[in-house]
Amino acid sequence: MSYTALYRKFRPDNFADVKGQDHIVTTLTNQINANRIGHAYLFCGTRGTGKTTVAKILAKAVNCEHPVNGSPCNECEMCKAIQAGTSMNVIEIDAASNNGVDNIREIREEVTYRPTEGKYKVYIIDEVHMLSTGAFNALLKTLEEPPSYVIFILATTEAHKIPITILSRCQRYDFHRISIDTIAARLSELLKVEGVEAEEKAIRYVAKAGDGSMRDALSLLDQCIAFYLGQTLTYDKVLDVLGAVDTEVFSKLLRKVLAGDVTSAIRILEDLIVGGRELSQFVGDFTWYMRNLLLVKTSDNPEEAIDVSSENLKLLKEESEMTDSDTLMRYIRIFSDLSNQIRFATQKRVLVEIALIKLCRPAMETNLDSVLDRIRVLEQKIDEHPVQQVIVQSTGVGEGSAEQPKPAERPPQKAAPEDLQKIVAGWKMIVGQTTAAFKQALLQSVPKYNGETGEPILYVEFQTPLGRLYPDDSEAKKELQSIIEQKLGKSIELHMLVAEDHQQTNLSQITVDQAIRDNIHMDVVIEED
Ligand SMILES: [Zn+2]
């Protein structure tokens, strides 16, 4: 028995069947009825909310020979040709893969020719935020003086990335997330047509899992039907197909990633592929899962922020305790980048694998959030092993310092110039051991010393205004000093200062460079550990 995906089979072909976007449908049909059609539309909204569907219906409606109450008749030659994708009047462009100036120039040349049949040439540009700056500029020229027979429909999930010059020339329509009730009602309707029996509770669960996206809900329903073909769809069966998969697998995968276990993470991916999981969807789902974790982690009332069952919320709370927000944000960033790349990629699996490796190995990246993640990994290691041992190994402080001084008493021996050099080289790791806001300030600091005089003084120069809080903070100073002294096994004098640019003008504070005058030995190159 052959099976057509519900999403394709029941894609609405007239405005009446578009669910949950009444505000848009009403405006558009009114425009068509009054023959006041715009030349540039911007459709914004999350995936699966009907942007391209409405764009296609609009393209048919404006060309239809006998429109019915603003909707296309779907009977005339024009409607049929557009429906079949054979009409020259409707041109769909995916900006994700055609984002260059040349692609838009091509359009600009084309629009000079009137349509040979029908009334309007309709250009639907999907993922329009992916256009390059040059392409946007080229598009702008066309939007400024569009021929009367041309309509542009720009669709995007990320409206904030559209230049204001383009926005100001478009009628903007925001597609809402579709409510669970609306999705559930549509699913019941389609199941009846398909002759599939299903429990109300099962349908609602699928609708909920669709998370505001009709397309996602339909594709989830497809999975359930395919799995239990010819049987009544019960709540338990749906849970079997959907519930278990997501929460359990995602939780397992996240734990492996947090542990930096690349092999196991890749193995879980392998299992998913063998299980027939569609990779683009997996990427979206895992991103959403991490987004929920982040909300649970950062929100006082996660119940209100995310729409999951109380059982799932309990699990999410457990998971959120295992990581921190910076790490989650880094993971989410990598996976959202991935979801953009993967849609039209041929080597989807390789892309997902690379992303998983990036998650497991923050050292492969150099931006701030991955540095924070590296610190997390280091802190974890430090928690697991005695501090002295880890530091001695990773920075190669000489054998003489291996004896651990008691934290309370200052080591008798003073630091030598080589010691200062080691501190500078291992600065990142020292900063990683400090706490909270002080750490944030230190992440933007530069350690310096006077290489000529060899005096055992370390100058810490804060590079941001945040650093102003610390030069007079004796507790912070003690914290940093004790970390360094434990590491060296030697005593050191510490001076904290703020870089000139960020000093408050009324303070006559000296800068580091003044302090160590012209013969400064600056070694700010922080080596990899
Ligand atoms: Zn028609």
Side-chain angles (χ1 to χ4, degrees):
M1 175 177 169
S2 80
Y3 186 80
T4 316
L6 291 172
Y7 173 63
R8 296 193 187 287
K9 198 165 169 186
F10 292 105
R11 190 167 200 173
D13 60 5
N14 64 73
F15 283 124
D17 283 346
V18 175
K19 301 298 176 190
Q21 312 296 354
D22 298 348
H23 58 299
I24 291 168
V25 166
T26 309
T27 317
L28 290 179
T29 47
N30 285 346
Q31 285 190 358
I32 293 162
N33 284 331
N35 203 14
R36 298 175 63 91
I37 297 151
H39 289 289
Y41 294 87
L42 181 67
F43 288 0
C44 320
T46 45
R47 64 204 191 115
T49 48
K51 298 184 295 296
T52 357
T53 303
V54 170
K56 280 184 190 154
I57 298 172
L58 180 61
K60 271 192 291 183
V62 294
N63 277 304
C64 178
E65 289 158 25
H66 320 285
V68 187
N69 198 15
S71 257
C73 72
N74 289 316
E75 306 277 329
C76 67
E77 289 307 313
M78 279 311 298
C79 280
K80 281 183 179 161
I82 295 172
Q83 187 73 28
T86 54
S87 170
M88 303 289 281
N89 280 16
V90 179
I91 301 98
E92 282 187 75
I93 299 134
D94 177 19
S97 41
N98 304 284
N99 62 354
V101 182
D102 292 343
N103 300 105
I104 302 298
R105 287 217 179 107
E106 230 168 82
I107 297 175
R108 281 177 58 194
E109 277 162 32
E110 274 176 33
V111 298
T112 55
Y113 304 105
R114 293 187 156 270
T116 48
E117 42 167 22
K119 284 174 267 181
Y120 290 97
K121 270 189 172 175
V122 183
Y123 289 85
I124 301 172
I125 308 184
D126 204 5
E127 302 290 347
V128 70
H129 61 272
M130 306 280 277
L131 287 184
S132 66
T133 313
F136 268 127
N137 286 335
L139 180 62
L140 186 62
K141 293 223 172 85
T142 317
L143 291 182
E144 277 168 344
E145 288 171 38
S148 59
Y149 47 82
V150 168
I151 299 173
F152 281 97
I153 304 175
L154 315 178
T156 182
T157 48
E158 296 176 59
H160 60 276
K161 288 189 182 163
I162 314 288
I164 188 89
T165 44
I166 300 274
L167 286 176
S168 67
R169 286 184 168 72
C170 296
Q171 291 183 30
R172 174 172 172 160
Y173 293 85
D174 288 292
F175 284 66
H176 299 160
R177 270 179 196 285
I178 308 166
S179 74
I180 292 176
D181 286 341
T182 307
I183 295 179
R186 176 71 173 167
L187 297 186
S188 306
E189 205 178 301
L190 303 187
L191 286 172
K192 270 198 199 93
V193 177
E194 286 289 279
V196 176
E197 298 266 322
E199 288 179 3
E200 179 64 29
K201 205 176 160 194
I203 296 173
R204 282 198 71 82
Y205 188 84
V206 176
K208 203 172 191 181
D211 189 48
S213 161
M214 187 68 86
R215 189 201 306 159
D216 287 0
L218 285 171
S219 93
L220 293 174
L221 187 62
D222 268 330
Q223 288 179 23
C224 297
I225 295 175
F227 210 80
Y228 291 105
L229 207 57
Q231 301 177 35
T232 300
L233 213 54
T234 63
Y235 179 67
D236 288 338
K237 284 177 187 161
V238 168
L239 264 189
D240 237 21
V241 181
L242 306 180
V245 170
D246 291 2
T247 43
E248 278 177 33
V249 173
F250 291 164
S251 144
K252 207 161 93 186
L253 182 59
L254 186 80
R255 282 163 205 239
K256 296 298 177 200
V257 165
L258 283 171
D261 185 347
V262 176
T263 319
S264 303
I266 300 276
R267 199 170 293 143
I268 292 173
L269 178 68
E270 164 103 46
D271 289 346
L272 285 169
I273 295 167
V274 172
R277 184 86 172 198
E278 212 282 303
L279 281 180
S280 316
Q281 201 198 322
F282 157 72
V283 169
D285 293 350
F286 190 51
T287 313
W288 202 243
Y289 169 82
M290 293 189 289
R291 170 259 186 199
N292 282 347
L293 269 184
L294 184 62
L295 280 181
V296 168
K297 181 114 198 124
T298 51
S299 160
D300 295 331
N301 301 308
E303 295 81 1
E304 287 167 20
I306 58 171
D307 188 17
V308 296
S309 66
S310 47
E311 298 88 354
N312 275 346
L313 186 63
K314 208 176 133 208
L315 286 175
L316 282 172
K317 278 183 179 160
E318 247 175 66
E319 301 267 303
S320 76
E321 292 302 312
M322 296 177 193
T323 179
D324 59 77
S325 332
D326 289 332
T327 305
L328 279 173
M329 280 192 265
R330 187 177 81 82
Y331 290 178
I332 292 170
R333 180 182 53 74
I334 292 174
F335 258 65
S336 357
D337 289 351
L338 174 64
S339 70
N340 283 333
Q341 295 165 3
I342 201 175
R343 290 184 58 196
F344 305 99
T346 46
Q347 298 289 339
K348 291 187 200 300
R349 178 181 179 154
V350 178
L351 286 180
V352 180
E353 284 173 351
I354 290 171
L356 285 174
I357 293 169
K358 275 191 200 165
L359 297 194
C360 294
R361 296 274 180 275
M364 287 173 63
E365 292 191 299
T366 50
N367 46 13
L368 180 64
D369 54 358
S370 53
V371 171
L372 291 173
D373 197 16
R374 290 164 78 170
I375 290 170
R376 176 189 67 79
V377 173
L378 285 174
E379 282 174 341
Q380 203 172 326
K381 280 187 189 158
I382 289 164
D383 282 346
E384 284 162 10
H385 306 284
V387 171
Q388 194 68 14
Q389 193 187 343
V390 171
I391 288 162
V392 168
Q393 277 174 357
S394 50
T395 60
V397 173
E399 288 99 332
S401 62
E403 269 175 52
Q404 186 167 347
K406 288 193 187 86
E409 56 193 51
R410 304 274 311 267
Q413 201 189 345
K414 283 192 174 173
E418 311 87 77
D419 297 317
L420 289 161
Q421 221 167 357
K422 278 169 197 159
I423 295 170
V424 170
W427 188 239
K428 236 183 347 179
M429 177 160 328
I430 292 169
V431 171
Q433 285 176 261
T434 58
T435 48
F438 188 34
K439 187 198 281 183
Q440 290 304 318
L442 285 171
L443 283 170
Q444 306 284 328
S445 74
V446 178
K448 300 177 177 181
Y449 61 94
N450 189 328
E452 298 237 325
T453 62
E455 48 185 8
I457 304 177
L458 182 74
Y459 298 88
V460 178
E461 188 182 64
F462 293 102
Q463 304 296 308
T464 60
L466 182 62
R468 282 181 206 151
L469 295 170
Y470 297 101
D472 300 321
D473 184 336
S474 59
E475 259 178 52
K477 184 175 171 182
K478 218 180 280 169
E479 177 183 341
L480 185 59
Q481 200 166 27
S482 120
I483 291 169
I484 297 173
E485 288 180 350
Q486 277 208 27
K487 173 184 162 119
L488 285 181
K490 292 176 187 175
S491 69
I492 189 161
E493 202 174 320
L494 190 65
H495 286 245
M496 297 196 284
L497 302 137
V498 182
E500 201 163 13
D501 292 352
H502 299 292
Q503 284 183 18
Q504 278 156 325
T505 44
N506 57 348
L507 293 178
S508 61
Q509 197 175 32
I510 56 156
T511 64
V512 167
D513 299 314
Q514 283 165 335
I516 38 187
R517 291 176 303 277
D518 299 328
N519 56 353
I520 184 167
H521 178 96
M522 253 180 72
D523 187 359
V524 293
V525 179
I526 296 179
E527 289 156 6
E528 290 295 324
D529 35 63

